[in-house]
């Protein structure tokens, strides 16, 4: 009877034969999702798809943010392979991790960021939870702010910032604002503009800072500039949210890359911090990250920990273990830790060398433009200063693929293609 009484069910039966004793209905079944519109394509994914379709033997994909060796191949660190072998030999179980993650990982994760001698760690006034890489860390942090931050719901991002920052904070219910950061006139840091904008941010708002290797520009403040920013942020009573996705990968020095984070803490900022081990350990698909809250005291840290667990539980219950085991093994095994420092230094140096070779190649081609910003910028990405129409020419005429804003992933540049890249850039900029 329910079948006969339900208009929706009868309607969805469609073209049923009259021999079954049911009236034939010609209309097709209506959809719950008929009103869902096609979303815009991901700009970086679009670059990769266009690259795959190109048949040129000289094609270059400079859009993807993943490290490649000097042959343009994905690179797995030796310390990772050795850690995997050690883990496999132990024949460990596959039980659930705790909601906050693998303890030996979260402890080492915090120590890597804050420093072994950090007062915060010694006093126990931090809580660090394992997250699903940097994106997951940022989202847990955004959810935590949305629920517990007592100030304005405004989050101030540098302009520009990593593209995923906006939807992460927006979808957590925060309001997005911006402060000046990049100066297109010199492809460098707009220090004056940043200070002017930060000085006007309402008190107790949230400000996002890239700890090192700013994405997408590769432009970082100098230490003396960081000091002024820290003083101003303190005067404005802003909550600092550091995003540190490239520790060690930027300069090759883990302490240098964490300098800003540690300076802010030493000067009284109780920051929140996102970390990722995708770039610096090459654990892209393992999704290894951490989220840290620096609190006033150990008792406050316990309360924050309890609420972070409550936030995490209905999202993914607990994080994956394999990548955390790999990272923890590397960070807690002296031999592997030393090897990792060597390898991350080597990756950073290759990127730095490619920057130098690109500029040298441009000069060799006869370019009279000032390309010093390519060398001055740091990390995986370089904001070239190329205009959209120049990027379009690079793609059409030289099969060089990058995002329209002129950002290139230096990881895609090799000793084998840097000459072709310099030739192509000079051709569209002369």
């Amino acid at each position: 009877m329910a079948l006969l009484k339900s208009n929706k069910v009868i309607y969805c039966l469609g073209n049923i034969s009259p021999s079954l004793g049911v009236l034939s209905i010609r209309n097709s079944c209506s959809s719950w999702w008929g009103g869902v519109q096609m979303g815009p394509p991901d700009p970086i994914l679009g670059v990769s798809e266009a690259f795959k379709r190109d048949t040129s033997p000289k094609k270059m994909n400079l859009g993807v943010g993943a490290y490649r060796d000097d042959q343009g191949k994905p690179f797995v660190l030796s310390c990772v392979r050795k850690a995997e072998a050690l883990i496999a030999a132990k024949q460990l179980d596959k039980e659930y991790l705790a909601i906050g993650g693998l303890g030996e990982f979260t402890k080492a994760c915090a120590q890597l960021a804050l420093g072994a001698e950090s007062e915060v760690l010694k006093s126990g006034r931090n809580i660090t939870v394992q997250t699903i890489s940097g994106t997951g860390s940022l989202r847990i942090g955004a959810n935590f702010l949305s629920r517990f931050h007592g100030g304005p719901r405004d989050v101030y991002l540098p302009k520009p910032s990593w593209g995923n920052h906006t939807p992460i904070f927006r979808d957590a219910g925060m309001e997005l604002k911006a402060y000046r950061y990049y100066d297109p006139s010199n492809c460098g840091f707009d220090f004056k503009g940043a200070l002017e904008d930060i000085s006007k941010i309402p008190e107790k708002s949230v400000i996002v800072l890239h700890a090192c290797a700013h994405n997408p520009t590769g432009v970082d403040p100098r230490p003396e500039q960081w000091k002024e920013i820290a003083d101003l942020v303190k005067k404005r009573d802003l909550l600092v949210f550091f995003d540190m996705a490239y520790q060690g990968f930027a300069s090759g020095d883990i302490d240098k890359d964490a300098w800003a984070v540690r300076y802010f803490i030493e000067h009284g900022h109780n920051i929140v911090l996102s970390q990722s081990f995708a770039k610096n350990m090459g654990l892209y698909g393992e999704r290894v990250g951490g989220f840290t809250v620096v609190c006033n005291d150990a008792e406050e840290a316990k309360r924050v920990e309890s609420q972070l667990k409550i936030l995490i539980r209905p999202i993914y219950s607990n994080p994956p273990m394999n990548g955390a085991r790999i990272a923890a093994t590397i960070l807690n095994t002296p031999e592997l830790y030393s090897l990792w420092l060597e390898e991350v230094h080597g990756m950073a140096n290759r990127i730095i060398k490619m920057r130098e070779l690109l500029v040298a190649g441009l000069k060799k081609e006869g370019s009279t433009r000032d390309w010093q910003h390519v060398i001055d910028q740091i990390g995986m990405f370089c904001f070239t200063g190329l205009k959209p129409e120049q990027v379009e020419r690079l793609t059409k005429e030289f099969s060089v693929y990058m995002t329209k804003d002129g950002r290139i992933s230096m990881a895609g540049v090799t000793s084998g293609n840097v000459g072709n890249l310099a030739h192509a850039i000079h051709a569209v900029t002369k």
Side-chain angles (χ1 to χ4, degrees):
M1 295 296 292
L3 179 64
L4 295 176
K5 288 182 179 179
S6 172
N7 290 334
K8 181 178 288 185
V9 173
I10 291 176
Y11 177 71
C12 288
L13 286 174
N15 298 324
I16 297 178
S17 170
S19 64
L20 296 178
V22 180
L23 181 65
S24 177
I25 301 171
R26 296 184 180 275
N27 293 330
S28 61
C29 183
S30 63
S31 170
W32 293 108
W33 318 118
V36 176
Q37 298 179 356
M38 179 64 71
D42 183 279
I44 295 177
L45 182 61
V47 169
S48 295
E49 290 176 345
F51 170 80
K52 290 177 182 177
R53 292 191 297 267
D54 195 319
T55 57
S56 170
K58 294 184 178 181
K59 66 180 181 179
M60 284 178 249
N61 186 356
L62 305 182
V64 178
Y67 182 78
R68 297 290 183 262
D69 65 18
D70 202 42
Q71 285 69 51
K73 303 296 183 183
F75 179 65
V76 179
L77 280 66
S78 296
C79 62
V80 169
R81 292 297 194 206
K82 292 183 177 183
E84 288 176 323
L86 289 175
I87 294 166
K90 293 179 181 179
Q91 295 187 324
L92 299 172
D93 61 45
K94 300 292 185 182
E95 293 294 303
Y96 290 124
L97 289 180
I99 296 174
L102 185 66
E104 61 192 82
F105 166 73
T106 56
K107 181 178 179 181
C109 178
Q111 183 171 307
L112 180 69
L114 307 187
E117 300 303 315
S118 170
E119 171 274 326
V120 171
L121 299 181
K122 291 180 178 180
S123 63
R125 63 184 185 94
N126 74 292
I127 172 59
T128 300
V129 294
Q130 180 189 335
T131 59
I132 302 176
S133 203
T135 300
S137 174
L138 287 160
R139 185 54 190 266
I140 292 300
N143 285 1
F144 181 74
L145 294 179
S146 182
R147 185 170 295 185
F148 294 105
H149 177 50
R153 300 187 69 78
D154 297 331
V155 174
Y156 285 79
L157 297 174
K159 186 178 182 180
S161 194
W162 181 44
N164 221 12
H165 278 149
T166 293
I168 286 170
F169 286 101
R170 181 194 62 210
D171 290 356
M174 305 299 286
E175 298 292 330
L176 275 300
K177 303 289 179 65
Y179 61 93
R180 279 174 285 175
Y181 187 88
Y182 177 73
D183 185 350
S185 68
N186 59 18
C187 300
F189 181 38
D190 186 358
F191 183 48
K192 181 180 178 181
L195 291 183
E196 287 179 356
D197 286 356
I198 293 171
S199 70
K200 299 173 185 176
I201 296 178
E203 293 184 357
K204 301 190 184 305
S205 297
V206 179
I207 183 170
V208 173
L209 300 172
H210 296 228
C212 60
H214 179 274
N215 182 359
T217 69
V219 174
D220 286 351
R222 298 189 301 271
E224 60 270 24
Q225 294 173 327
W226 273 124
K227 290 178 181 180
E228 287 194 51
I229 293 170
D231 288 343
L232 180 57
V233 167
K234 187 84 169 178
K235 290 177 183 176
R236 299 302 304 159
D237 195 20
L238 307 180
L239 173 59
V240 177
F241 196 138
F242 267 111
D243 185 0
M244 185 158 63
Y246 298 93
Q247 186 181 3
F249 191 92
S251 69
D253 184 328
I254 60 169
D255 296 317
K256 183 178 180 180
D257 291 347
W259 185 88
V261 169
R262 297 173 187 178
Y263 181 86
F264 271 68
I265 293 173
E266 289 167 3
H267 287 78
H269 293 270
N270 284 351
I271 68 164
V272 296
L273 168 70
S274 285
Q275 289 170 265
S276 168
F277 290 82
K279 306 297 192 300
N280 59 10
M281 285 190 180
L283 298 175
Y284 302 98
E286 297 288 358
R287 314 308 293 146
V288 190
F291 177 66
T292 294
V293 182
V294 177
C295 303
N296 280 339
D297 51 47
E299 188 276 331
E300 182 177 272
K302 288 293 183 185
R303 288 187 279 113
V304 170
E305 179 183 20
S306 72
Q307 293 296 341
L308 286 172
K309 289 179 179 179
I310 290 170
L311 281 171
I312 291 169
R313 175 66 169 143
I315 302 176
Y316 54 83
S317 264
N318 40 61
M321 69 168 53
N322 192 59
R325 280 177 172 169
I326 293 170
T329 300
I330 293 170
L331 294 174
N332 293 314
T333 306
E335 177 188 349
L336 295 185
Y337 182 70
S338 296
L339 178 57
W340 173 61
L341 293 179
E342 291 177 13
E343 292 189 289
V344 74
H345 186 266
M347 289 192 293
N349 276 357
R350 195 189 85 73
I351 297 293
I352 292 169
K353 182 181 178 181
M354 290 305 107
R355 291 178 179 275
E356 294 170 348
L357 287 177
L358 177 57
V359 172
L362 285 162
K363 290 179 180 178
K364 185 177 179 180
E365 288 288 332
S367 178
T368 57
R369 294 182 54 160
D370 183 5
W371 296 102
Q372 183 61 34
H373 61 277
V374 174
I375 294 175
D376 292 342
Q377 293 171 15
I378 194 168
M380 182 170 288
F381 300 109
C382 172
F383 243 37
T384 60
L386 295 173
K387 297 177 175 59
E389 58 270 21
Q390 293 170 326
V391 172
E392 186 175 357
R393 279 191 64 196
L394 280 175
T395 301
K396 288 185 176 181
E397 298 176 26
F398 300 97
S399 295
V400 177
Y401 292 84
M402 65 180 74
T403 50
K404 292 180 180 179
D405 57 8
R407 186 200 80 165
I408 64 174
S409 172
M410 293 303 303
V413 183
T414 69
S415 56
N417 66 22
V418 66
N420 290 335
L421 178 60
H423 173 75
I425 291 177
H426 176 57
V428 303
T429 56
K430 64 182 177 180

